[in-house]
Amino acid sequence: MAPRKKDKKGDDWKRKCRHPRHKLWKHTSEDLTRLKRLSGKKKAELQSLGFPNICKVVSQDGSSICEQCLNYTPPISLAFHHTYAKKPSEEPSAGLTSTSTSTATQAVSAGTDVPHIPQEAPPAPVESQAGSSSSGPIPPSCMSVSQPEADDSGPIPPSCMSAGSQPEAGPDINLESSVATVIEHIVNGDMPSDLLHQLATAIAQVITVEVTTDLDSQDFSPRSKTADALLNIPAVEDWLGHRSPLLTCILEALMKKSSKHPVIECLSNESRHTSRRYKMVKAVEVVYNLTEPSLISPFSLAENLTTYGLSNSQLVTDIHAHITPAGSYGYLRNWLVEQSKEPVPIPDRDLIIAFDNDQIVGKTYHVKPNNKVSCSVVTSLCVAQLPSNLQENEELMPGNWMIDVTYQDVAKNMKVTESEMNLLFGELAKVVEERMSIVKGQQNMNEDGTLSDAVDDKVKETRQQREHIKCIQCGFLNSVRWQKCRGPSCKALLKIQRSFSIETEDLPDEPLTKKPRRSRTCGVFKKIYVTKQGGIEIEKKLQEDQDVNHLYSHIPTNHVQVHLQACDPVFCNPNSYVSVKQVLRHIGKQFSISRYTPGSARKWCAVVCDGLPYVLAQKVIRDTLICGCGTVADGKEEMSRHQTEKGHQTSEREFNWVLLEIGLGHVEMNCARSFLELNWEVFMSEAAWCMGFRSENAQKYAKKGGDHHKTWELLRLTYLGTIDELLLPYVRECLSQNLEPNAFDYLTRWSGNTMNPKYEYVHMQIMTYLHSLMVFRGGVRCNNPAFVSAGMAVFADIIHGRNHPKYQAIFLNERSNRITAPTDIQMFQNEYVSVSYSGDPHKCEGMDFQLERINKASKTWLPKGVPSNLDWLRVFRLLDKLDGIKKCTEKVMGINQSKHGSATTHEPDDDAVMAWRIHLRDSGYLSEPKSETELHVSMSGVELDDQLVFMQYTVEARMEYNMRQFFDSTFVAPSIHDIPQPVFVTAKEHEEFSKISNKTVDTIKILVLELIDQLDCNNLRSHYQDMWRRVKGKKKDELISFYERLKEEVDDQLPLSSLLELE
């Protein structure tokens, strides 16, 4: 295409109708200027204004309509059909005679083409009616040529000729070749920039028209921005297929192949393609937003919701809204209000409901009178929808079978059964066999016939570093007390060398910008170094772990995936009897229990909670009665008075529809803490010290077990490392005798012949109680009721042996319920011991931990500060949908969801296990398992109680006492001396427990009365009884003083036999 040439008197503009039989019409610059000024006018109005012969009506958006055929010509067609007239001297043409004009008119009426008429001479250029040309460049819409050209593609209607111009014939214009010529000039860079800008402007006008029309479609309507619509957001390809064709064509042309990069290459082709297509969506949304600034697009809205849910930041949300049509922070808050008006629908099938408190404590930034910290506390609810319908059976209501259980009903079945013991022994044998093979493979035969391993070498090195320091300059070993090196001719300062004695790892040749980090990709641990060039070099594979759940892959799983969702919360804290009643009534009404919703098919449901609400709910279920008239009474006495006054006869328990269950996640947490508390002084404090908990506050933090993930890793590495050290003497003994070590021989013969109390106690704690806790966790993770039951039954010894009254009652009640429940209820409980949110059969959790996950997710959607009750309600109603929108957005964006937010196994590293083994062997605590002269002390040298090794006898007595107290309604508390004492760990603890200053006031009063009865002299007894009447109402210090004086009196009196001898 020839470049545009300017004429001093004005340029001509040629435009062609899309109709194949129509020609290029031309108008003078003045005509087109007036047309543009009068754009949007109707044909009749234009003709009345002096434009009878115009063939087009130009609109503001750049489109036009041919007057002859009324064919709509969008700007895209006009942009590619523009041609520029040559100068009159370069365009030979001949004017049409009247005959040729008549012939053209007849041809138009007949619908035939006009034959080409040779042109004789070029006509003179036609100036504009104003008689002057523009002093500057004239825009294309205002250009004209001196004479019209004619081609042989069709006639020129007279009505479309401008005044003062004559029709002319010319060659046909081939659009494809013209476009090809334009493209060639653009690609070669021959097209002037101003023409390119004009072409781009015309294309933009076409895009504007298409975008304006598209904005009225359903894809941008208010319905497309609801929560349900965002959950079912269309696929990227489908959405792009309905957008502006020209815009998507331009974006397709702009897309280039991604550059090769190790991070990008590790992505799958599908993820890479999805990510690139989503970038096209973002580009389309930005262009649409430029056309309509108030636009909010569904993709950007979903993306901004996801960003807000991850960051909970108003600033981040507003920044995103300023870049894309995503909606501001205020819009998102209003969106949450609008979408949360309806409660969550409740299914008709069986349900498991969990409740727990959730709270947010505010902050005070100023000093004010009577200033108090504000706090918002609610009881959150979570429901699991099951496929069964047992809860419609009224005969299975807990109130019909969970009657007052007697001691005789449960005494025989409360202890560990033989099947449970066999299961635990089998699992222990597997662990011992696995660790034994590791220990055996580490042994090396020395020249002197002894065995050693890498741990011995590390112990030697540790002791050497503890006692000596090696000079860096000469290599001489110096005592740690020396300040200078005493090597020959070396006087280096050792104090300075100590600061540089930290060992460093071997690093790659390339300089590093940061420390190496560990990355888990597809279950493989790798060490990655980031260089200055930005590349990623995988140095070595640290651990192959294709199955991250290998710890529990051997456990049979009964997993059935269920749907979990949050429900409307209760605005109270379940820490009292009144609030627990409120929570249970809310559950009954919200989930349509027949007691509160007459005609409902659901008669009962399972309710899960943690320790404190469980104990409170036990009493509420047992004591809250409801009369036939609807009156509620607390206890039988209050109900009896009501029925006597009103003459009513019938009553029943109000909450007989509640099947109460303990949250297994909280059971695991409290079992872990109780194990730490029992064995802290013995060896767990040393394990925590070895892992870096060395200060006083760090030791308290580790002992408290506040972070359950860290607590579990600490217990796990202690479990593995201690088993290795317990097996070491047996393995070396077998190898020295040329025997093959095996787990069965160790567990049944060798471990029972040890005499060292330290070895025996550690063996019992690790391979009995801590092992049962590992089995319990495996049962929960795999939804295996046999593993859960066996683990709880054995670990109950520690719960009953120490002071854990709340969980003592919980363990007894849970076991009695599973014993006395009907077969259908037992099958129901066994099938849904734990549930999985992710669908992985080896990643199940208790309903209480599922609710903890929901509570954590809910806080990210709450506004800053202390939320109101309405804020809590809106978030919990929408939480399930918001989570679905987040997953859908990640999928649309091409983000691999398996690499983000995946749960870890919290399996300790081999280095951590090795460090604990080194520390344990360095102490020599388990080095002599068959020594009879060893005193029972802790790893730190603290004297332990002499009955600690025989704690099973104490545990049995305490469990018997707790069962009678819990189940036997006729049970009478024995004398204070007959109450079984707890398990004492240290000798000092036993001594402190016996001190009168550590007794309660009630216990001191009972002891005082017992001492008064032991006085032989009646007068002396009467004297102390009178004194006791005056003292018993005093403070504890005075009671203790009176007790000590009375005890001296009893100890000083002679026995009765001695008095008789004197007489």
Side-chain angles (χ1 to χ4, degrees):
M1 176 182 294
R4 177 184 175 185
K5 297 182 179 180
K6 299 182 180 179
D7 195 321
K8 295 182 179 180
K9 296 184 179 180
D11 295 343
D12 290 334
W13 174 254
K14 295 184 179 181
R15 182 171 294 181
K16 182 181 178 182
C17 174
R18 291 183 65 183
H19 196 282
R21 303 173 75 73
H22 290 178
K23 296 295 184 177
L24 283 169
W25 316 119
K26 63 180 181 180
H27 300 279
T28 62
S29 300
E30 182 181 2
D31 291 341
L32 292 176
T33 303
R34 296 176 65 188
L35 282 174
K36 185 177 180 181
R37 187 166 57 250
L38 300 171
S39 60
K41 298 292 183 179
K42 295 183 180 180
K43 174 183 175 183
E45 296 177 351
L46 292 173
Q47 289 177 350
S48 64
L49 293 174
F51 295 92
N53 297 326
I54 58 174
C55 69
K56 298 177 182 177
V57 178
V58 182
S59 61
Q60 292 181 356
D61 57 6
S63 62
S64 61
I65 300 177
C66 179
E67 181 183 295
Q68 180 182 0
C69 62
L70 302 179
N71 186 20
Y72 175 80
T73 304
I76 180 62
S77 301
L78 301 179
F80 283 100
H81 297 158
H82 292 172
T83 59
Y84 298 94
K86 298 180 180 180
K87 290 184 178 180
S89 59
E90 301 175 358
E91 294 181 352
S93 61
L96 293 176
T97 62
S98 60
T99 305
S100 61
T101 305
S102 176
T103 305
T105 307
Q106 295 175 4
V108 170
S109 61
T112 59
D113 293 338
V114 179
H116 175 67
I117 303 175
Q119 301 180 14
E120 298 178 355
V126 181
E127 297 183 2
S128 61
Q129 296 181 8
S132 63
S133 61
S134 175
S135 60
I138 304 173
S141 59
C142 300
M143 294 179 184
S144 65
V145 292
S146 57
Q147 292 293 339
E149 285 187 350
D151 53 28
D152 52 3
S153 62
I156 304 176
S159 59
C160 295
M161 297 182 190
S162 60
S165 64
Q166 297 294 333
E168 61 180 0
D172 289 338
I173 296 179
N174 192 337
L175 297 182
E176 295 182 0
S177 61
S178 301
V179 172
T181 304
V182 173
I183 294 175
E184 181 181 358
H185 283 284
I186 294 175
V187 173
N188 295 334
D190 299 335
M191 181 71 69
S193 60
D194 55 345
L195 299 184
L196 283 175
H197 295 166
Q198 295 170 12
L199 188 62
T201 303
I203 295 175
Q205 291 176 352
V206 181
I207 294 176
T208 303
V209 174
E210 294 180 351
V211 169
T212 305
T213 305
D214 192 18
L215 288 175
D216 296 332
S217 64
Q218 293 295 327
D219 291 341
F220 298 97
S221 64
R223 291 185 179 180
S224 65
K225 304 177 186 64
T226 62
D228 295 331
L230 295 180
L231 281 173
N232 301 303
I233 198 166
V236 172
E237 297 292 345
D238 296 339
W239 190 83
L240 289 174
H242 292 83
R243 302 289 74 82
S244 170
L246 180 57
L247 177 59
T248 54
C249 179
I250 294 174
L251 295 177
E252 289 282 359
L254 291 174
M255 290 180 63
K256 299 179 180 179
K257 293 183 178 180
S258 59
S259 59
K260 292 185 177 180
H261 192 276
V263 176
I264 299 177
E265 287 182 346
C266 67
L267 298 175
S268 63
N269 293 332
E270 182 180 358
S271 299
R272 192 184 313 171
H273 176 73
T274 304
S275 177
R276 288 164 59 84
R277 303 302 293 180
Y278 187 75
K279 292 176 182 177
M280 278 193 61
V281 172
K282 299 302 296 178
V284 170
E285 288 183 334
V286 170
V287 174
Y288 276 47
N289 193 23
L290 291 174
T291 305
E292 181 56 51
S294 62
L295 172 67
I296 295 179
S297 176
F299 282 96
S300 292
L301 176 59
E303 184 180 329
N304 208 16
L305 284 170
T306 303
T307 304
Y308 176 63
L310 294 174
S311 64
N312 194 18
S313 172
Q314 178 179 354
L315 179 60
V316 173
T317 305
D318 286 338
I319 290 175
H320 195 268
H322 279 73
I323 300 173
T324 59
S328 62
Y329 177 79
Y331 178 87
L332 294 187
R333 299 304 308 170
N334 294 333
W335 185 89
L336 292 174
V337 173
E338 290 296 327
Q339 301 301 318
S340 60
K341 293 183 178 180
E342 297 295 330
V344 178
I346 304 302
D348 298 330
R349 295 285 185 170
D350 291 348
L351 306 175
I352 299 179
I353 305 162
F355 72 88
D356 194 8
N357 68 316
D358 194 7
Q359 60 186 4
I360 291 181
V361 181
K363 297 181 180 179
T364 55
Y365 299 95
H366 303 282
V367 178
K368 299 179 181 179
N370 302 321
N371 193 13
K372 292 184 179 180
V373 177
S374 57
C375 180
S376 178
V377 184
V378 298
T379 299
S380 55
L381 300 178
C382 166
V383 58
Q385 305 173 13
L386 312 179
S388 58
N389 57 356
L390 288 176
Q391 295 175 0
E392 297 179 1
N393 190 348
E394 189 172 0
E395 296 179 356
L396 298 179
M397 290 180 63
N400 295 335
W401 54 268
M402 195 182 292
I403 55 178
D404 296 330
V405 181
T406 62
Y407 171 76
Q408 290 76 14
D409 297 333
V410 298
K412 296 181 180 180
N413 298 321
M414 293 298 289
K415 297 182 180 180
V416 184
T417 63
E418 183 178 357
S419 61
E420 292 171 340
M421 291 299 299
N422 293 336
L423 188 150
L424 290 170
F425 182 84
E427 291 298 312
L428 179 60
K430 294 178 183 177
V431 176
V432 170
E433 193 70 34
E434 178 184 356
R435 304 308 299 183
M436 189 177 291
S437 62
I438 296 176
V439 174
K440 178 185 174 182
Q442 294 174 345
Q443 304 307 310
N444 300 316
M445 183 66 69
N446 299 324
E447 295 179 357
D448 57 356
T450 60
L451 294 171
S452 64
D453 55 13
V455 180
D456 292 327
D457 299 336
K458 288 291 184 180
V459 170
K460 287 182 181 180
E461 184 179 346
T462 301
R463 291 175 178 175
Q464 180 177 327
Q465 292 177 357
R466 198 163 49 233
E467 298 174 359
H468 299 86
I469 180 173
K470 187 176 182 179
C471 180
I472 299 177
Q473 297 183 5
C474 65
F476 186 79
L477 287 178
N478 299 272
S479 174
V480 293
R481 296 174 295 176
W482 298 345
Q483 299 295 323
K484 293 183 179 181
C485 177
R486 297 189 180 184
S489 67
C490 182
K491 299 297 181 181
L493 293 177
L494 300 177
K495 184 177 181 180
I496 299 177
Q497 293 185 12
R498 290 191 186 97
S499 60
F500 295 98
S501 61
I502 301 176
E503 297 182 1
T504 59
E505 297 181 353
D506 295 332
L507 300 179
D509 297 335
E510 295 181 355
L512 302 180
T513 58
K514 56 177 69 176
K515 294 181 179 179
R517 67 177 186 268
R518 293 184 60 192
S519 173
R520 174 180 292 177
T521 305
C522 300
V524 179
F525 287 98
K526 300 176 182 179
K527 182 177 289 186
I528 296 177
Y529 291 100
V530 181
T531 64
K532 288 184 177 179
Q533 288 76 13
I536 295 180
E537 178 187 356
I538 301 175
E539 182 179 279
K540 69 174 183 176
K541 186 184 302 181
L542 294 181
Q543 181 180 355
E544 284 288 345
D545 186 13
Q546 297 298 334
D547 183 9
V548 296
N549 305 310
H550 68 284
L551 291 176
Y552 313 115
S553 58
H554 67 283
I555 301 177
T557 177
N558 303 321
H559 167 68
V560 178
Q561 187 173 3
V562 298
H563 178 66
L564 298 167
Q565 67 179 23
C567 299
D568 291 358
V570 191
F571 302 109
C572 67
N573 190 5
N575 58 356
S576 65
Y577 295 114
V578 176
S579 59
V580 169
K581 290 179 185 179
Q582 182 180 350
V583 171
L584 293 179
R585 291 188 181 115
H586 177 88
I587 292 174
K589 295 175 182 178
Q590 183 175 359
F591 297 99
S592 302
I593 303 299
S594 59
R595 176 175 298 282
Y596 306 98
T597 308
S600 176
R602 183 175 289 117
K603 306 299 180 183
W604 59 276
C605 69
V607 179
V608 180
C609 57
D610 60 356
L612 178 60
Y614 186 98
V615 175
L616 297 175
Q618 277 184 299
K619 181 176 176 58
V620 167
I621 293 172
R622 183 177 61 251
D623 296 343
T624 305
L625 304 176
I626 184 170
C627 182
C629 65
T631 303
V632 179
D634 295 330
K636 296 182 179 179
E637 295 182 359
E638 184 177 347
M639 177 57 66
S640 178
R641 289 195 299 269
H642 166 75
Q643 291 182 343
T644 302
E645 294 175 359
K646 302 296 182 180
H648 299 163
Q649 301 295 328
T650 60
S651 66
E652 60 180 350
R653 291 174 175 171
E654 180 184 359
F655 303 107
N656 58 357
W657 52 269
V658 177
L659 177 59
L660 193 63
E661 296 180 352
I662 185 63
L664 297 182
H666 285 78
V667 171
E668 180 184 307
M669 291 174 57
N670 284 273
C671 288
R673 293 172 183 174
S674 62
F675 185 87
L676 284 176
E677 188 265 342
L678 174 63
N679 296 287
W680 186 256
E681 292 291 342
V682 185
F683 57 87
M684 286 307 302
S685 62
E686 292 294 320
W689 186 91
C690 184
M691 294 300 112
F693 298 91
R694 300 188 176 182
S695 66
E696 182 179 358
N697 290 335
Q699 287 273 304
K700 291 180 180 179
Y701 173 80
K703 182 180 180 180
K704 185 179 179 181
D707 189 335
H708 182 61
H709 297 303
K710 294 181 180 178
T711 300
W712 184 258
E713 288 192 24
L714 181 62
L715 292 178
R716 183 68 184 172
L717 68 91
T718 305
Y719 173 72
L720 297 177
T722 308
I723 288 180
D724 292 348
E725 293 303 303
L726 289 172
L727 295 175
L728 180 67
Y730 169 76
V731 171
R732 289 184 174 178
E733 180 180 318
C734 291
L735 293 178
S736 62
Q737 300 176 3
N738 295 326
L739 298 176
E740 185 67 24
N742 65 85
F744 185 79
D745 180 62
Y746 171 80
L747 295 174
T748 58
R749 180 188 63 83
W750 196 90
S751 61
N753 296 329
T754 57
M755 301 296 179
N756 192 324
K758 295 184 293 186
Y759 188 95
E760 290 180 354
Y761 178 77
V762 173
H763 181 276
M764 175 183 62
Q765 291 298 316
I766 297 297
M767 294 196 178
T768 301
Y769 298 119
L770 189 53
H771 172 69
S772 67
L773 184 56
M774 300 294 167
V775 171
F776 170 80
R777 181 183 175 95
V780 173
R781 299 294 276 177
C782 297
N783 190 26
N784 191 307
F787 278 65
V788 172
S789 178
M792 289 184 65
V794 173
F795 200 87
D797 290 355
I798 293 182
I799 299 296
H800 290 285
R802 300 288 285 179
N803 186 25
H804 305 288
K806 183 170 61 178
Y807 273 87
Q808 288 171 2
I810 290 173
F811 271 57
L812 293 175
N813 190 65
E814 282 291 305
R815 194 157 179 89
S816 66
N817 286 347
R818 293 185 178 272
I819 292 172
T820 59
T823 305
D824 292 339
I825 296 295
Q826 292 181 2
M827 294 176 61
F828 174 83
Q829 291 180 315
N830 292 337
E831 188 174 1
Y832 303 106
V833 171
S834 56
V835 296
S836 173
Y837 169 75
S838 62
D840 193 326
H842 296 94
K843 290 185 179 180
C844 301
E845 289 181 316
M847 284 292 296
D848 55 336
F849 271 19
Q850 299 289 357
L851 182 56
E852 292 288 349
R853 176 188 59 79
I854 290 177
N855 288 341
K856 182 179 179 180
S858 67
K859 290 183 173 64
T860 62
W861 296 99
L862 292 170
K864 296 290 185 180
V866 180
S868 63
N869 292 344
L870 287 178
D871 292 329
W872 287 105
L873 183 64
R874 294 163 186 165
V875 169
F876 279 112
R877 284 185 174 181
L878 281 178
L879 192 59
D880 193 43
K881 293 183 178 179
L882 293 173
D883 184 61
I885 292 172
K886 175 179 175 293
K887 292 181 179 179
C888 183
T889 304
E890 291 177 350
K891 181 180 179 181
V892 170
M893 296 174 66
I895 298 177
N896 190 350
Q897 301 177 15
S898 61
K899 296 182 181 180
H900 300 272
S902 58
T904 58
T905 59
H906 295 285
E907 183 70 4
D909 297 337
D910 293 339
D911 294 341
V913 177
M914 179 62 71
W916 167 237
R917 289 185 63 187
I918 294 171
H919 186 79
L920 186 58
R921 192 178 301 185
D922 185 29
S923 66
Y925 195 70
L926 303 175
S927 59
E928 299 179 1
K930 295 188 178 181
S931 174
E932 300 183 12
T933 59
E934 288 285 344
L935 297 177
H936 196 192
V937 295
S938 67
M939 287 186 64
S940 58
V942 178
E943 183 182 358
L944 302 179
D945 188 68
D946 55 357
Q947 297 299 316
L948 184 61
V949 181
F950 313 103
M951 61 174 290
Q952 293 92 337
Y953 303 105
T954 303
V955 168
E956 290 178 1
R958 286 178 63 85
M959 185 178 293
E960 182 75 15
Y961 174 79
N962 291 334
M963 281 194 297
R964 288 187 176 275
Q965 189 179 24
F966 190 78
F967 295 110
D968 194 351
S969 58
T970 62
F971 176 74
V972 178
S975 171
I976 194 171
H977 301 286
D978 297 333
I979 299 176
Q981 295 181 346
V983 174
F984 300 110
V985 179
T986 64
K988 183 179 180 180
E989 182 184 6
H990 195 169
E991 181 183 353
E992 291 293 329
F993 181 83
S994 303
K995 289 183 178 180
I996 187 64
S997 58
N998 294 326
K999 305 291 183 181
T1000 62
V1001 173
D1002 294 337
T1003 303
I1004 294 175
K1005 292 179 179 181
I1006 295 175
L1007 294 175
V1008 167
L1009 295 177
E1010 291 180 353
L1011 288 177
I1012 292 176
D1013 292 339
Q1014 294 178 12
L1015 293 174
D1016 297 333
C1017 179
N1018 294 332
N1019 294 332
L1020 190 61
R1021 187 184 305 113
S1022 300
H1023 170 69
Y1024 276 102
Q1025 286 177 348
D1026 294 338
M1027 292 181 61
W1028 175 243
R1029 294 189 187 98
R1030 296 191 297 270
V1031 173
K1032 65 179 181 181
K1034 302 292 184 179
K1035 295 182 179 180
K1036 183 178 180 179
D1037 293 340
E1038 298 184 19
L1039 296 179
I1040 293 175
S1041 177
F1042 181 82
Y1043 171 82
E1044 291 176 348
R1045 178 182 175 185
L1046 180 60
K1047 184 172 177 54
E1048 292 178 0
E1049 190 72 35
V1050 172
D1051 294 341
D1052 291 342
Q1053 70 179 357
L1054 293 175
L1056 181 60
S1057 57
S1058 300
L1059 293 176
L1060 293 176
E1061 291 178 359
L1062 290 176
E1063 291 179 358

